[in-house]
Amino acid sequence: MVTPFTPLSEDELNELDQFLLHDVDTEEVMTLDMVDGFLHAIAIGPTTIQPKQWLPKIWGTQEMMPPMDSIAQLSHVLGLVMRHFNSIIAGLEDDPREINPYWSMRTYGGDLREYDDAEMWAYGFVEGMRLCWNDWAPLLSTPQGQAWVRPIALLGEDDFSEDQDALTKTPAMRAKLALQIPQAVLDMHAHWLPLRRAVHERMVAKAMQPKVGRNEPCPCGSGKKFKKCCGAAADLH
């Protein structure tokens, strides 16, 4: 039985890949490996970002979804994207936690050796970070955070460091960086998890509070009546 958290099958991944490649008429549309990196950054980051904020970035449009032939097609494609995102979250909530980044393998040289190619995945991850870059800043200012982000940034950012070209010169060097990414993502997820839980618990607690009467003391502690304080539309705080 397919649920909202069921990982996409190979056929469904190929279907979404083909849709992105051939059915979205924008130059900014992401490839499937970029989408996967993008969604991983959103799933593990410090801020909960709603789909209406990140879906347009996938298609390179102003709207949540690109033009479709029918409502049925729109619902189907949206379902594929949301299931893929949900499956990433489900993996992070497993015990033990796991991620399965989606990127390609490429063959180089006469020996036909295959190497992990995570450059587009890393680019997508960085784009996901950019949605709330200021919220990532506290982690990026620490040596530990810089170490976690470094393999991703070396592959996915332009002009990240002076030694970037030297460290990404060969397929083998880039593949070595790619293999550092899964653990780095798990470590960043663990770093941000207490914050995400605290924000969630605060939102739940706020939702459970009884409604304050207009003439009762404002719960912010100002000493004013609610209607003259936080209940006044012109002075929300």
Side-chain angles (χ1 to χ4, degrees):
M1 178 180 175
V2 175
T3 74
F5 291 89
T6 301
L8 300 187
S9 66
E10 282 298 320
D11 287 343
E12 288 172 324
L13 286 168
N14 289 334
E15 180 184 358
L16 183 55
D17 184 33
Q18 291 303 304
F19 178 81
L20 292 165
L21 289 173
H22 302 296
D23 294 334
V24 183
D25 189 21
T26 66
E27 293 183 0
E28 293 80 18
V29 61
M30 294 184 178
T31 57
L32 184 56
D33 46 0
M34 288 170 59
V35 170
D36 191 70
F38 182 66
L39 295 182
H40 272 84
I42 294 169
I44 72 163
T47 303
T48 298
I49 303 174
Q50 300 300 324
K52 66 180 181 180
Q53 297 172 266
W54 53 257
L55 277 168
K57 300 292 185 181
I58 291 177
W59 323 115
T61 64
Q62 295 297 318
E63 296 76 29
M64 279 186 62
M65 296 295 290
M68 300 277 185
D69 294 334
S70 66
I71 294 296
Q73 184 191 29
L74 186 150
S75 178
H76 178 65
V77 172
L78 178 59
L80 293 179
V81 175
M82 294 309 301
R83 269 180 54 206
H84 190 56
F85 180 56
N86 289 340
S87 69
I88 292 171
I89 295 173
L92 292 167
E93 293 177 347
D94 280 346
D95 186 14
R97 298 170 302 140
E98 65 175 9
I99 67 166
N100 297 289
Y102 180 91
W103 57 60
S104 60
M105 303 289 292
R106 292 203 178 185
T107 302
Y108 295 89
D111 60 357
L112 300 181
R113 184 173 178 180
E114 286 190 331
Y115 296 92
D116 288 79
D117 182 4
E119 290 182 70
M120 290 297 98
W121 189 97
Y123 177 82
F125 190 96
V126 173
E127 288 301 296
M129 294 174 63
R130 292 191 192 283
L131 291 178
C132 55
W133 194 265
N134 289 340
D135 296 327
W136 279 85
L139 175 63
L140 301 180
S141 66
T142 68
Q144 183 65 81
Q146 292 166 11
W148 289 334
V149 172
R150 183 172 175 80
I152 298 172
L154 283 170
L155 293 173
E157 277 200 70
D158 294 328
D159 302 321
F160 172 68
S161 65
E162 293 183 358
D163 58 353
Q164 185 172 11
D165 289 342
L167 294 175
T168 59
K169 186 175 182 179
T170 68
M173 296 169 75
R174 295 192 294 273
K176 184 177 180 180
L177 290 169
L179 295 179
Q180 298 173 31
I181 289 176
Q183 187 59 53
V185 171
L186 290 174
D187 289 338
M188 287 187 284
H189 171 259
H191 174 86
W192 290 123
L193 189 58
L195 173 63
R196 293 177 72 98
R197 284 177 174 163
V199 170
H200 173 73
E201 290 173 0
R202 186 161 62 245
M203 292 175 65
V204 171
K206 183 177 180 180
M208 293 176 65
Q209 288 179 352
K211 185 176 180 180
V212 179
R214 287 176 51 76
N215 290 308
E216 294 178 11
C218 186
C220 77
S222 66
K224 299 179 182 179
K225 291 183 178 181
F226 179 64
K227 66 182 180 181
K228 296 292 186 180
C229 192
C230 293
D235 188 27
L236 296 177
H237 64 272

